[in-house]
């Protein structure tokens, strides 16, 4: 089994505290259909995209300006044989000072190329992290999912379920 976790990173001309504030504003960059709290350790929230994907996430670690870790408590995909592929994985947002701003390193620990959802999930995270979260940090306005597909992979999955 390949052990390469999905990772992406970017640097912005903002303070680590601003990056952290955007990360914990999950409704502002991932989905407006988040139920529950997503700001501090112990908070639990639910994500849902149509009948295609839903998951329950617990905030495991939340250190202002430095790090946020999510634990995937439960997960369901309608497009994989193993409906719970993400269950038991962790999503890590590492924030570090960088020249002129901050660097965000996003790693989904346990999301590996051997997973059936690898293509869809890595495309999704790239859209939401490098696109929407980065936009939220830089402009104050992200591009969260509002129930409609945001990339080609999501469009294809949505069409399959019609």
């Amino acid at each position: 089994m390949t052990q390469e976790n999905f990772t992406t990173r970017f640097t912005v001309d903002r303070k680590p505290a601003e990056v952290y504030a955007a990360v914990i504003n999950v409704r502002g960059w991932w989905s407006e259909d988040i139920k529950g709290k997503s700001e501090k350790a112990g908070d639990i929230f639910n994500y849902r995209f149509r009948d295609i994907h839903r998951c329950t996430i617990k905030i495991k670690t939340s250190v202002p300006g430095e790090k946020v870790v999510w634990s995937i408590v439960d997960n369901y995909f309608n497009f994989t044989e193993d409906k719970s592929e993400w269950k038991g994985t962790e999503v890590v947002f590492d924030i570090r000072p960088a020249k002129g701003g901050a660097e965000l390193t996003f790693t989904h620990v346990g999301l590996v190329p051997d997973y059936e959802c690898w293509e869809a999930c890595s495309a999704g995270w790239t859209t939401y992290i490098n696109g929407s979260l980065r936009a939220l940090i830089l402009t104050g306005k992200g591009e969260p999912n509002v129930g409609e597909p945001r990339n080609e992979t999501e469009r294809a999955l949505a069409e399959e379920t019609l």
Side-chain angles (χ1 to χ4, degrees):
M1 179 174 187
T2 305
Q3 292 299 315
E4 185 181 326
N5 299 307
F6 176 79
T7 300
T8 188
R9 71 178 41 88
F10 60 79
T11 303
V12 289
D13 62 348
R14 297 294 187 270
K15 295 177 182 176
E18 293 173 276
V19 174
Y20 172 83
V23 167
I24 64 171
N25 179 9
V26 181
R27 287 171 191 84
W29 63 266
W30 191 15
S31 174
E32 292 183 356
D33 192 21
I34 297 287
K35 306 286 189 236
K37 294 183 178 187
S38 62
E39 292 86 34
K40 63 184 186 333
D43 284 353
I44 296 175
F45 68 92
N46 292 294
Y47 165 83
R48 180 182 182 105
F49 176 64
R50 298 185 179 186
D51 290 329
I52 297 169
H53 180 207
R54 62 180 177 267
C55 60
T56 301
I57 298 172
K58 182 174 184 175
I59 310 298
K60 183 176 177 181
T61 305
S62 187
V63 181
E66 295 180 19
K67 185 175 211 153
V68 176
V69 179
W70 297 348
S71 178
I72 310 299
V73 176
D74 200 9
N75 191 75
Y76 168 82
F77 290 122
N78 79 344
F79 60 94
T80 59
E81 189 172 318
D82 178 357
K83 306 295 183 202
S84 64
E85 267 189 344
W86 279 15
K87 189 173 181 178
T89 64
E90 289 188 346
V91 175
V92 180
F93 301 83
D94 274 313
I95 305 162
R96 304 216 185 285
K99 186 174 183 178
E103 179 183 75
L104 173 71
T105 301
F106 171 92
T107 305
H108 189 152
V109 180
L111 174 57
V112 295
D114 288 343
Y115 267 17
E116 189 177 352
C117 82
W118 173 260
E119 294 292 325
C121 294
S122 58
W125 281 136
T126 299
T127 297
Y128 291 105
I129 301 301
N130 294 344
S132 185
L133 178 56
R134 190 167 196 269
L136 180 61
I137 294 165
L138 292 173
T139 70
K141 180 160 177 44
E143 300 166 355
N145 181 304
V146 292
E148 294 303 317
R150 291 273 340 282
N151 61 42
E152 289 305 315
T153 305
E154 287 180 351
R155 276 188 271 290
L157 291 170
E159 287 175 11
E160 287 176 16
T161 61
L162 292 177

